[in-house]
């Protein structure tokens, strides 16, 4: 490639962390191990070991229409099999969680194929074919994008990201899906929509404050890096705002 | 209209050069003969679902309901030729004019081309559907000698619940265009065509579908008064690059990213091409970030629009699902801004459109998937003709995940318009005429 991709502006550690998550050339640090079965349990879309239900016949069994674009674009495994479209949704605490809704979407847009991400103020959802989802979810949970205390896997009743943390450092969850055990390990006792699990799923120990501060992708003027101090980022936002307005009125440069 | 010297090369949906050195004005909906034909036929052709009328009358299915006791068992298909001849006789203004009736599906579907004179001598395009609906009603009434008490039933099968409803709800005589009262504002008629209709008219070919949608959207924007003066060039460039695969850009981007690429890698390929073509140049360098500048925001916008299309095809194509189109419209453009420091497609308006469109096309606010949207919708109309073509491409690539699939809502358009070259291969036809 003739130019070097930039992955967004900013000179702060937060900006650098954002770039690291986005850049598919950078391997994300694996922080914990969660088994495939554990992922399926947390997602709650199918019973572990059961076949993937399908939304339509596999592509090989239907005659794909004559379209050069279909020939150029390779379907994902899940699309090829005709899987249902399913989701995972995360809530990220504002107190230095390693990722945040926009960041998750940006990262997924660079790293994953065939995805439908949706960004909201306190949560982020990504929908895709079921077997692709399980693969992507593993990446999202096992790597540095996740923290057992400050990130919640919440399909419903997501509230909590902007509240102060509980005394044990956990982000508030009205459904108490994940609990901090006496051994210091966080366990999911309910799946992402709050249905009790037959067995608890361990997702590891919460990361310490120093690690969080070094890995977070959230600006926070009180507990982390202040956005205003990243003048390049501020300049970028102001510039985009001005140019949208200027070109929106008259798309010309004299 | 301005004179243009800048040229584009037009390529087919499979990346082959169709015509090079085409000046920009030659693809204008005001100039291009194939586009003129698309617009003309869109206004002038009316579907008569004769087989459907026979079946509906048999069980009393009228408008959107069913009226027991109003069943009429008429051998319409057996008398099809006589009925069609009567319709033609009534519709035609003078011998040898451009009236034409085409048969599809063994005559169950009739596509009536109303003579131009009926539209020239009318104030709106309504004159096409009203004349054909009335002629079909009377032809059946006449053929079977229907009395005054049953003629209203035949009328209800042809006209639907009109005039109890403002439009012809549940009618079996239909047009691609809806009635003017359903248009969001002045000049929206050609933008008021559902995505699924376009997908079916182009037989699920993503780029041809996008081209047809883009042509209709662009013509609509001309009609709205939004492509006058300097904005004409802006509109034509976006149309050519995004809708007509100008300079093979969409094809090249999809080809480079189709096997392993993502929305993000399409952003990178597009930026690379824009730098190579000197559409954008490095400007201010910050502590980390290289800001880019452009001397030609209109051309940059056209590149961004082509990239948006390619990203849609790469992402929705990989998942073979339509639903991701709104997210792709939003985040391709967001990431493009983060990569260059320049505004994205339609200077941010595609992003704005996509936020609302995500909400409305994911059953969060009631039902409805991307396929039943059109450019006349309150959430999609703000992007200057560059959002809906992507939605058509995405819906064309869907392998069967949608509740509102093109086959379920718009199959009739594949059986009729889908057989007409100017509708099913617009890229080639427009290049021929350019």
């Amino acid at each position: 490639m003739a130019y070097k991709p930039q992955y967004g502006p900013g000179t702060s550690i937060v900006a650098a962390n954002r770039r690291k998550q986005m850049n598919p050339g950078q391997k994300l640090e694996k922080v914990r191990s969660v088994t495939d079965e554990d992922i399926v349990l947390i997602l709650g879309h199918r019973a572990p070991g059961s076949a993937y239900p399908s939304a339509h016949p596999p592509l090989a069994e239907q005659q794909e229409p004559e379209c050069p674009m279909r020939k150029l674009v390779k379907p994902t495994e899940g699309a090829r099999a005709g899987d249902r479209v399913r989701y995972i949704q995360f809530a990220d605490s504002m107190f230095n969680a390693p990722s945040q809704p926009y960041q998750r979407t940006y990262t997924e847009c660079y790293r994953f194929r065939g995805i439908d991400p949706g960004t909201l103020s306190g949560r982020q959802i990504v929908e895709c074919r079921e077997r692709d989802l399980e693969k992507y979810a593993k990446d999202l949970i096992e790597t540095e994008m996740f923290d057992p205390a400050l990130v919640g896997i919440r399909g419903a009743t997501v509230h909590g990201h902007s509240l102060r943390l509980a005394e044990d450092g956990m982000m508030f969850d009205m459904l108490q899906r994940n609990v901090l055990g006496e051994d210091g390990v966080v366990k999911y006792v309910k799946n992402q929509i709050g249905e009790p699990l037959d067995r608890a799923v361990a997702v590891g120990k919460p990361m310490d404050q120093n690690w969080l501060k070094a890995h977070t992708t959230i600006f926070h003027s009180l507990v982390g890096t202040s956005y205003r101090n990243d003048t390049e980022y501020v300049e970028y936002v102001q510039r985009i705002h001005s140019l949208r307005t200027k070109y929106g009125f008259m798309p010309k440069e004299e | 209209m301005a004179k243009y010297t800048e040229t584009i090369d037009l390529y087919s949906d499979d990346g082959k050069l169709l015509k090079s050195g085409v000046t920009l004005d030659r693809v204008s909906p005001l100039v291009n003969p194939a586009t003129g034909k698309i617009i003309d036929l869109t206004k002038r052709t009316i579907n008569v679902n004769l087989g459907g009328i026979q079946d509906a009358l048999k069980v009393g299915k009228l408008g959107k309901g069913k009226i027991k006791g109003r069943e009429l068992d008429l051998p319409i298909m057996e008398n099809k030729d006589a009925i069609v001849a009567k319709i033609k006789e009534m519709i035609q203004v003078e011998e040898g004019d451009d009236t034409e009736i085409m048969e599809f599906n063994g005559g169950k579907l009739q596509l009536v081309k109303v003579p131009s004179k009926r539209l020239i001598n009318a104030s709106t395009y309504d004159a096409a559907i009203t004349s054909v609906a009335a002629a079909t009603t009377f032809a059946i009434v006449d053929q079977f000698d229907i009395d005054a008490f049953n003629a209203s039933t035949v009328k209800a099968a042809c006209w639907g619940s009109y005039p109890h409803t403002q439009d012809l709800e549940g009618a079996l005589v239909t047009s691609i265009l809806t009635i003017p009262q359903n248009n969001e504002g002045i000049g929206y008629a050609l933008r008021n065509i559902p995505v699924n209709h376009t997908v079916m008219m182009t037989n699920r070919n993503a780029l041809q579908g996008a081209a047809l949608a883009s042509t209709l959207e662009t013509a609509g924007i001309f009609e709205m008064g939004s492509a006058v003066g300097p904005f004409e060039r802006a509109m034509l460039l976006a149309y050519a690059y995004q809708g007509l695969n100008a300079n093979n850009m969409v094809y090249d981007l999809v080809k480079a990213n189709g096997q392993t690429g993502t929305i993000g890698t399409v952003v990178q390929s597009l930026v690379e091409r824009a730098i190579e073509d000197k559409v954008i140049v490095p400007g201010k360098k910050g502590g980390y970030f290289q800001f880019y500048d452009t001397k030609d925001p209109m051309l940059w916008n056209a590149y961004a629009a082509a990239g948006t299309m390619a990203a849609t095809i790469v992402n929705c194509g990989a998942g073979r699902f339509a639903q991701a189109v709104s997210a792709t419209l939003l985040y391709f453009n967001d990431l493009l801004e983060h990569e260059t420091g320049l505004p994205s497609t339609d200077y941010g308006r595609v992003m704005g459109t996509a936020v609302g469109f995500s909400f409305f096309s994911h059953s969060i606010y009631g039902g409805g998937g991307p396929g039943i949207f059109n450019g006349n919708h309150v959430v999609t109309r703000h992007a200057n003709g560059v959002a809906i073509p992507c939605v058509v491409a995405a819906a064309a690539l869907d392998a069967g995940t949608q509740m509102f699939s093109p086959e379920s809502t718009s199959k009739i358009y594949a059986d009729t318009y889908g057989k007409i070259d100017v509708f099913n291969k617009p890229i080639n036809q427009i290049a021929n005429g350019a």
Side-chain angles (χ1 to χ4, degrees):
Chain A
M1 197 169 287
Y3 96 105
K4 196 167 163 277
Q6 309 200 74
Y7 303 101
T11 51
S12 57
I13 174 86
V14 170
N17 290 341
R18 290 181 178 190
R19 288 194 280 271
K20 188 185 174 199
Q21 288 189 2
M22 279 189 246
N23 183 350
Q26 290 249 19
K27 201 167 160 43
L28 290 176
E29 193 185 327
K30 187 174 167 182
V31 185
R32 60 194 70 77
S33 286
V34 183
T35 65
D36 293 354
E37 185 178 307
D38 288 348
I39 301 281
V40 172
L41 282 172
I42 294 174
L43 291 174
H45 298 309
R46 67 181 179 106
S50 64
Y52 289 99
S54 57
H56 57 73
L59 296 183
E61 280 177 29
Q62 37 171 290
Q63 257 187 330
E64 284 217 85
E66 197 53 43
C67 171
M69 294 299 108
R70 292 204 190 214
K71 293 195 178 99
L72 292 182
V73 182
K74 192 168 117 189
T76 62
E77 263 180 62
R80 194 177 299 124
D83 285 359
R84 304 179 299 179
V85 175
R86 287 297 178 265
Y87 69 91
I88 187 166
Q89 183 166 261
F90 292 96
D92 300 284
S93 166
M94 288 160 69
F95 297 104
N96 287 338
S99 203
Q100 35 97 345
Y102 263 109
Q103 177 62 26
R104 289 186 177 280
T105 293
Y106 293 164
T107 299
E108 288 159 8
C109 281
Y110 275 107
R111 290 178 182 267
F112 302 150
R113 302 179 73 236
I115 50 157
D116 180 15
T119 316
L120 296 97
S121 55
R123 59 190 165 114
Q124 190 264 7
I125 187 168
V126 60
E127 298 184 25
C128 56
R129 301 287 190 157
E130 194 161 0
R131 73 191 74 191
D132 304 336
L133 172 71
E134 289 171 8
K135 204 168 64 187
Y136 300 157
K138 201 163 158 72
D139 277 355
L140 295 170
I141 295 170
E142 284 191 331
T143 65
E144 59 189 287
M145 288 184 70
F146 187 81
D147 174 64
L150 300 185
V151 179
I153 306 166
R154 303 179 181 184
T157 318
V158 182
H159 164 85
H161 73 285
S162 63
L163 303 184
R164 64 197 161 110
L165 302 175
E167 283 174 344
D168 60 5
M170 296 287 286
M171 173 170 60
F172 177 76
D173 179 9
M174 192 147 49
L175 299 187
Q176 291 218 307
R177 277 161 274 225
N178 52 345
V179 288
L180 180 64
E182 281 178 9
D183 55 357
V185 172
V186 174
K187 293 178 188 77
Y188 271 78
V189 293
K190 296 175 183 169
N191 68 16
Q192 63 173 338
I193 58 163
E195 292 164 341
L197 293 172
D198 292 340
R199 66 168 175 85
V201 171
V203 291
K205 293 184 176 177
M207 306 306 282
D208 65 47
Q209 286 305 313
N210 291 338
W211 186 94
L212 289 166
K213 215 163 176 179
H215 285 80
T216 187
T217 53
I218 306 177
F219 289 107
H220 198 300
S221 58
L222 299 177
V223 298
T225 308
S226 168
Y227 177 60
R228 284 180 198 177
N229 290 343
D230 193 335
T231 51
E232 185 177 274
Y233 223 128
V234 174
E235 183 185 353
Y236 162 80
V237 169
Q238 289 174 338
R239 181 185 145 108
I240 286 290
H241 180 81
S242 323
L243 285 178
R244 280 181 182 172
T245 312
K246 181 180 166 186
Y247 295 159
F249 173 69
M250 177 55 66
K252 276 183 170 180
E253 279 289 348
E254 292 316 321
Chain B
M1 188 180 168
K3 293 270 172 266
Y4 294 95
T5 51
E6 69 186 299
T7 58
I8 44 170
D9 298 337
L10 295 176
Y11 286 79
S12 62
D13 58 342
D14 55 355
K16 298 199 174 69
L17 181 65
L18 294 170
K19 200 172 243 184
S20 63
V22 175
T23 52
L24 205 52
D25 55 299
R26 296 299 303 167
V27 297
S28 165
L30 304 178
V31 174
N32 189 283
T35 310
K37 198 170 168 195
I38 290 174
I39 298 166
D40 178 48
L41 291 183
T42 299
K43 288 190 291 187
R44 262 193 329 119
T45 50
I46 302 295
N47 262 307
V48 178
N49 187 351
L50 267 192
I53 293 173
Q54 176 177 290
D55 298 344
L57 285 174
K58 203 168 188 173
V59 293
K61 242 176 106 180
L62 303 165
K64 278 194 163 173
K66 200 168 181 181
I67 308 178
K68 285 190 172 171
R70 303 304 299 175
E71 300 86 0
L72 284 177
D73 195 359
L74 303 175
I76 291 177
M77 290 313 294
E78 276 174 36
N79 291 271
K80 169 198 72 167
D81 293 339
I83 292 169
V84 170
K86 283 180 205 280
I87 293 174
K88 184 165 183 190
E89 196 189 330
M90 284 184 272
I91 291 299
Q92 195 166 44
V93 176
E94 51 202 8
E95 200 54 39
D97 67 9
D98 50 1
T99 311
E100 194 186 335
I101 301 186
M102 291 175 282
E103 273 196 16
F104 300 95
N105 281 7
K108 284 185 181 166
L109 294 174
Q110 305 282 335
L111 202 57
V112 182
K113 279 190 202 166
V114 172
S116 302
K117 265 209 168 160
R118 282 194 181 267
L119 290 191
I120 294 167
N121 294 311
S123 64
T124 68
Y125 56 88
D126 297 338
I129 194 163
T130 51
S131 59
V132 175
T136 308
T137 307
F138 187 70
I140 296 170
V141 166
D142 195 38
Q143 180 68 22
F144 302 107
D145 204 15
I146 309 277
D147 62 21
F149 300 101
N150 287 311
S152 57
T153 308
V154 178
K155 181 241 135 208
C158 298
W159 291 74
S161 49
Y162 180 81
H164 293 273
T165 49
Q166 202 170 37
D167 61 359
L168 288 73
E169 217 176 275
L172 291 157
V173 174
T174 52
S175 162
I176 310 178
L177 298 172
T178 178
I179 58 162
Q181 290 91 330
N182 284 348
N183 295 334
E184 284 271 322
I186 304 171
Y188 271 94
L190 293 169
R191 302 186 68 187
N192 203 351
I193 297 168
V195 161
N196 279 348
H197 288 9
T198 313
V199 171
M200 285 284 96
M201 286 192 270
T202 45
N203 304 311
R204 280 195 172 271
N205 177 310
L207 275 197
Q208 297 286 4
L212 182 57
S214 190
T215 303
L216 292 164
E217 284 276 286
T218 303
I221 282 158
F222 271 72
E223 192 172 339
M224 290 162 61
S226 301
V228 166
F231 304 103
E232 185 180 71
R233 177 174 176 267
M235 199 60 231
L236 290 175
L237 282 170
Y239 167 50
Y241 280 83
Q242 186 191 58
L244 297 178
N245 190 27
N247 297 353
N248 217 19
M249 189 176 294
V250 172
Y251 186 91
D252 285 345
L253 291 171
V254 174
K255 192 173 177 194
N257 294 282
Q259 292 298 305
T260 56
T262 59
I263 295 169
T265 62
V266 178
V267 170
Q268 295 170 350
S269 301
L270 180 76
V271 172
E272 188 177 31
R273 180 140 177 183
I275 294 170
E276 273 170 24
D277 296 352
K278 300 190 172 53
V279 176
I280 60 174
V281 292
K284 184 181 172 184
K285 175 93 169 79
Y288 166 81
F289 194 71
Q290 173 66 62
F291 290 92
Y292 285 86
D293 292 331
T294 180
K295 287 259 180 314
D296 191 352
M298 293 181 189
L299 187 56
W300 165 244
N301 180 57
Y303 271 57
T308 308
M309 175 63 72
T312 302
I313 293 169
V314 165
N315 188 45
C316 297
R320 291 292 197 272
F321 61 165
Q323 67 172 73
V325 59
S326 47
T328 313
L329 290 173
L330 179 48
Y331 299 113
F332 170 82
N333 284 292
D334 200 353
L335 293 173
L336 186 63
E337 293 187 342
H338 278 83
E339 197 56 32
T340 59
L342 282 167
S344 60
T345 318
D346 210 19
Y347 321 108
R349 280 181 289 242
V350 167
M351 288 175 66
T353 296
V355 173
F357 184 39
S358 296
F359 189 69
F360 278 72
S361 64
H362 281 70
S363 297
I364 301 169
Y365 191 83
I372 55 168
F373 277 80
N374 55 58
N376 177 64
H377 192 276
V378 66
V379 304
T380 54
R381 65 180 182 157
H382 304 286
N384 251 337
V386 285
I388 285 296
C390 298
V391 186
V392 169
L397 292 165
D398 190 278
T401 65
Q402 287 291 302
M403 194 161 74
F404 297 97
S405 70
E407 284 78 8
S408 67
T409 64
S410 315
K411 187 166 184 308
I412 197 173
Y413 293 91
D415 298 338
T416 50
Y417 297 91
K419 313 276 190 239
I420 303 173
D421 268 1
V422 80
F423 283 100
N424 68 26
K425 288 243 181 296
I427 293 181
N428 308 56
Q429 299 292 323
I430 289 166
N432 275 345

